[in-house]
Amino acid sequence: MAETTRHPEHRYGNRPTMKDVAARAGVGLKTVSRVVNSEPGVTPDTERRVQEAIEALGFRRNDSARVLRKGRTASIGLVLEDLADPFYGPLSRAVEEVARAHGALLINGSSAEDPDREQELVLALCARRVDGLIVIPAADDHRYLEPEIKAGVATVFVDRPAGRIEADTVLSDSFGGAREGVAHLIAHGHRRIGFIGDQPRIHTATERLRGYHAAMAEAGITVPDSWVSLGRTDPDRVRTAAEAMLSGPEPVTALFSGNNRVTVTVVRVLAGRERPVALVGFDDIELADLLGITVISQDAAAVGRTAAEHLFRRLEGADHSPARVELPTRLIARGSGELPPA
């Protein structure tokens, strides 16, 4: 008869407790607590036995329970639009670094640009007793957060302002950046300039469109409807919009793309054309320096760092009126935005 080896049964989710450590080491619960919390009053031999029991059982101190007794969880939540968007990588990293410097853990998630999912995620983080929230909003009504804010959850909105409530906000200058980018194309001789942007309900999309219109108006250029396209940033929609603007008897000679996802598709469209078309994109993109793409760059890391620092000042007791911080953008000329009209 074959001999079978019995393995100990694993009970996932049932972690060892201080009571388990005390039983294995043959000491009282208070003695384990003293060792775990580095308190005096334990002999070296007893401390050794407790540490051996801790190592054998894989015990870890329950920090969440400890900090909850102090009224704080030492954690903050970050709600992004899309974790895959390159803009949010440096932003998230900057928030995490500030949180780490304050001894706090960062928990993040994505709303996928869905207002219902945003609310569900935000309230789930609140239910887990995060001390504060940094939110890139998908919704346009944030009154659901009022009870949480009144209960002490510090909240900062990033990239877009909160809807229907007053709250701290950190933004990039979308209007000014777009106006500068379009004015740059005008300065290089362009009069027929198309704008392809994100969905009109998104604050940054409407601000960048407003900047486009401001630059065109300042140059005395009338903008026909066919030069403007707002909508989802999926490649098919953007490609269709770009090809429509680049066709016909009087095609546009330049394009301004409203964000990094739009820019990537536009670059692909332009790569297959014989006649050169000027391009300025809002947001930097990977390899833009090698491809010679002129961009309006926003400092995502500075946005994240500023928002996190503002959040922790609130947690440390700052009690001023809701603040709005707007960080400047920067035009980086690399060649595509400096092409003259064909």
Side-chain angles (χ1 to χ4, degrees):
M1 187 167 110
E3 190 174 313
T4 58
T5 302
R6 296 189 63 186
H7 296 282
E9 184 181 344
H10 294 285
R11 294 179 300 157
Y12 295 108
N14 293 303
R15 298 176 180 175
T17 65
M18 284 202 295
K19 188 175 179 180
D20 297 325
V21 174
R24 186 178 182 98
V27 298
L29 198 59
K30 182 61 178 175
T31 299
V32 176
S33 177
R34 286 188 178 125
V35 172
V36 167
N37 293 296
S38 302
E39 296 174 356
V42 182
T43 66
D45 181 63
T46 301
E47 182 176 358
R48 177 186 55 77
R49 295 205 322 272
V50 172
Q51 291 290 5
E52 287 174 352
I54 287 172
E55 185 175 345
L57 293 171
F59 169 81
R60 285 190 179 273
R61 181 177 65 181
N62 186 349
D63 280 344
S64 62
R66 184 170 60 91
V67 295
L68 273 171
R69 286 194 293 271
K70 299 179 180 180
R72 295 274 287 273
T73 62
S75 64
I76 64 169
L78 172 61
V79 179
L80 302 167
E81 174 204 347
D82 182 358
L83 291 170
D85 190 321
F87 174 75
Y88 295 121
L91 187 153
S92 178
R93 178 63 181 271
V95 172
E96 186 174 28
E97 289 300 315
V98 175
R100 186 169 178 266
H102 286 81
L105 176 71
L106 176 66
I107 307 168
N108 62 27
S110 170
S111 69
E113 202 62 67
D114 181 341
D116 292 334
R117 183 166 168 176
E118 175 208 295
Q119 181 172 342
E120 178 184 347
L121 181 56
V122 165
L123 294 180
L125 289 167
C126 291
R128 283 159 178 75
R129 300 287 296 275
V130 294
D131 299 324
L133 290 165
I134 295 175
V135 181
I136 290 89
D140 56 10
D141 187 348
H142 291 93
R143 288 176 295 177
Y144 71 86
L145 253 174
E146 285 183 327
E148 308 297 336
I149 294 172
K150 287 177 182 176
V153 180
T155 305
V156 177
F157 287 83
V158 173
D159 197 40
R160 310 160 190 175
R164 306 187 71 175
I165 64 169
E166 294 294 321
D168 294 324
T169 306
V170 178
L171 311 168
S172 291
D173 183 8
S174 285
F175 169 78
R179 182 171 63 177
E180 182 181 16
V182 175
H184 185 74
L185 290 167
I186 293 168
H188 284 82
H190 295 277
R191 306 284 293 177
R192 300 197 303 273
I193 303 169
F195 177 94
I196 305 176
D198 210 330
Q199 299 176 78
R201 66 179 180 80
I202 297 174
H203 171 80
T204 49
T206 57
E207 282 297 284
R208 292 166 195 175
L209 177 61
R210 194 167 68 87
Y212 163 84
H213 278 298
M216 298 292 272
E218 288 162 8
I221 302 171
T222 301
V223 177
D225 292 343
S226 59
W227 290 1
V228 174
S229 177
L230 296 180
R232 296 183 64 83
T233 58
D234 61 272
D236 288 342
R237 200 283 301 181
V238 173
R239 178 179 293 277
T240 299
E243 289 176 347
M245 293 180 192
L246 294 167
S247 62
E250 287 193 318
V252 298
T253 62
L255 288 169
F256 185 86
S257 53
N259 65 27
N260 52 10
R261 287 164 290 186
V262 174
T263 301
V264 169
T265 300
V266 169
V267 168
R268 291 193 172 109
V269 171
L270 297 183
R273 303 184 72 84
E274 292 182 6
R275 186 172 59 183
V277 176
L279 170 66
V280 175
F282 203 108
D283 288 336
D284 216 343
I285 61 171
E286 190 174 4
L287 301 182
D289 53 340
L290 296 179
L291 295 172
I293 308 301
T294 297
V295 298
I296 299 297
S297 176
Q298 50 181 337
D299 191 338
V303 170
R305 184 169 54 252
T306 301
E309 289 171 349
H310 208 88
L311 183 75
F312 280 99
R313 282 196 294 272
R314 285 291 191 193
L315 290 172
E316 289 161 4
D319 191 27
H320 51 75
S321 298
R324 180 184 174 113
V325 179
E326 195 164 86
L327 301 180
T329 57
R330 180 168 63 102
L331 186 144
I332 304 176
R334 296 187 177 122
S336 71
E338 295 69 56
L339 294 172

